[in-house]
Amino acid sequence: MIESILNALAEPAMLLDAAGRVAVANPAAQDRLGVWVVGRSYVSVLRQPSLLQPVEEAFAEGKPGVTRFVHSTGAVETLFEVTVSPIPVPDGRRQVLLVFRDLSEARAGESMRRDFVGNVSHELKTPLTAIMGFIETLQGPAREDPKGRDRFLALMAQETARMNRLVSDLLSLSRLEGQSRKRPTDRIDMAALVSETIGMLRPGAEADAVEIRFDAPASAQVIGDRDQLVQIVSNLIENAIKYGAHPGIVSLSLLHIDREPVLRGPAWRLTVSDTGPGIPPEHVPRLTERFYRVDTGRSRTQGGTGLGLAIVKHIVNRHRGRLRIESVEGQGTEVTVILPAS
């Protein structure tokens, strides 16, 4: 009976018999700790003093407890919170039930939140410190200097705009996380949407001596959220313009795929490529992390918040699509977004 109950638990659980051996280890426990644990003494299975002591107290005194246990496979360490529960048996002795709760995901989440708060604080502190310095200068040495006043006001406007972009991107991320489980339902023509977005961005590209080229069929129907798809396209084009070659070319293409293996159905593949210096390979896997920048100084100078590709990744995930980034140093960068066809 108890074996059936333990096998139904999603969390790893073990029952130690009165002799201190593992009488039952449910599938989750065998998967995490190994199938070899069944029939072994708890001393050889658990080993760590922080867990051995509560188990000994449960056997000797019938005392329940809660402790922590770190299981290592060599490459990965898993932190468990272990509930130790003594169970009386008819002959006056005790069995002990151990239930393991994985804390690694919660700990990783706490670490991500700390890092996120630290990054946001740093990103906001930098422009705020600059603005405070400009204000002090305007109140002091530059009070009667019209040229200096105009220059400092322009710099303050630039830093304020940067903070506004950062807050806007943070709000976008927050909204996306709230919508992640809700799939879009509108029918969108990606070919028309990309063409319209290119039209909005072309003047800025031409000012940077960048030519935008687009190859697509007359229509490309997907199910999506129009505003979010515009965010994807504009973000990828702006990145290609900012970090590509000047003068240079940004090429876009839309290609229909009869069957995309990962999506298990027809799809549209949007590719955005530039002719810039490319990205070192060690940076490519981290480009969609929040606030991650290959060149921090250059990104900030050009108005980047470090959140653009994180937003793109969230939008693609919401649309049940796929995102791929490839880059070769000296040859440019190519970003591919695959979306299910309607």
Side-chain angles (χ1 to χ4, degrees), residues 126-288:
T126 303
L128 282 172
T129 301
I131 290 171
M132 289 171 64
F134 296 147
I135 291 172
E136 289 175 4
T137 304
L138 288 170
Q139 290 174 332
R143 183 190 294 271
E144 305 300 331
D145 179 1
K147 289 184 178 179
R149 185 169 62 244
D150 290 344
R151 184 167 65 88
F152 286 123
L153 286 172
L155 290 170
M156 289 170 67
Q158 180 179 320
E159 294 295 334
T160 303
R162 181 179 152 199
M163 284 194 295
N164 186 55
R165 285 193 298 272
L166 177 61
V167 171
S168 295
D169 282 353
L170 288 170
L171 289 173
S172 290
L173 271 176
S174 178
R175 283 194 298 269
L176 285 168
E177 288 174 346
Q179 297 172 338
S180 61
R181 296 182 182 277
K182 183 180 178 182
R183 296 188 67 171
T185 57
D186 295 336
R187 189 180 178 92
I188 306 295
D189 183 351
M190 276 297 290
L193 183 146
V194 174
S195 294
E196 292 169 14
T197 307
I198 290 173
M200 291 187 292
L201 298 177
R202 182 166 272 125
E206 291 173 348
D208 287 329
V210 175
E211 179 187 353
I212 301 178
R213 298 175 180 174
F214 181 38
D215 180 28
S219 178
Q221 299 293 325
V222 301
I223 299 297
D225 181 309
R226 180 178 178 81
D227 291 341
Q228 291 182 0
L229 292 176
V230 168
Q231 268 188 291
I232 289 179
V233 178
S234 60
N235 192 296
L236 296 182
I237 295 175
E238 287 172 350
N239 280 352
I241 294 170
K242 286 178 188 175
Y243 306 116
H246 297 157
I249 297 170
V250 172
S251 300
L252 291 90
S253 65
L254 261 176
L255 180 67
H256 186 263
I257 305 170
D258 291 332
R259 178 173 172 78
E260 162 56 38
V262 177
L263 302 183
R264 299 180 182 179
W268 286 97
R269 183 171 67 205
L270 170 67
T271 303
V272 182
S273 58
D274 64 57
T275 54
I279 300 167
E282 65 270 19
H283 293 290
V284 173
R286 301 191 61 188
L287 291 176
T288 57

Side-chain angles (χ1 to χ4, degrees), residues 54 57-65 84-86 94:
E57 291 175 351
F59 273 120
E61 306 170 21
K63 179 181 177 182
V84 182
S85 306
R94 298 182 182 91

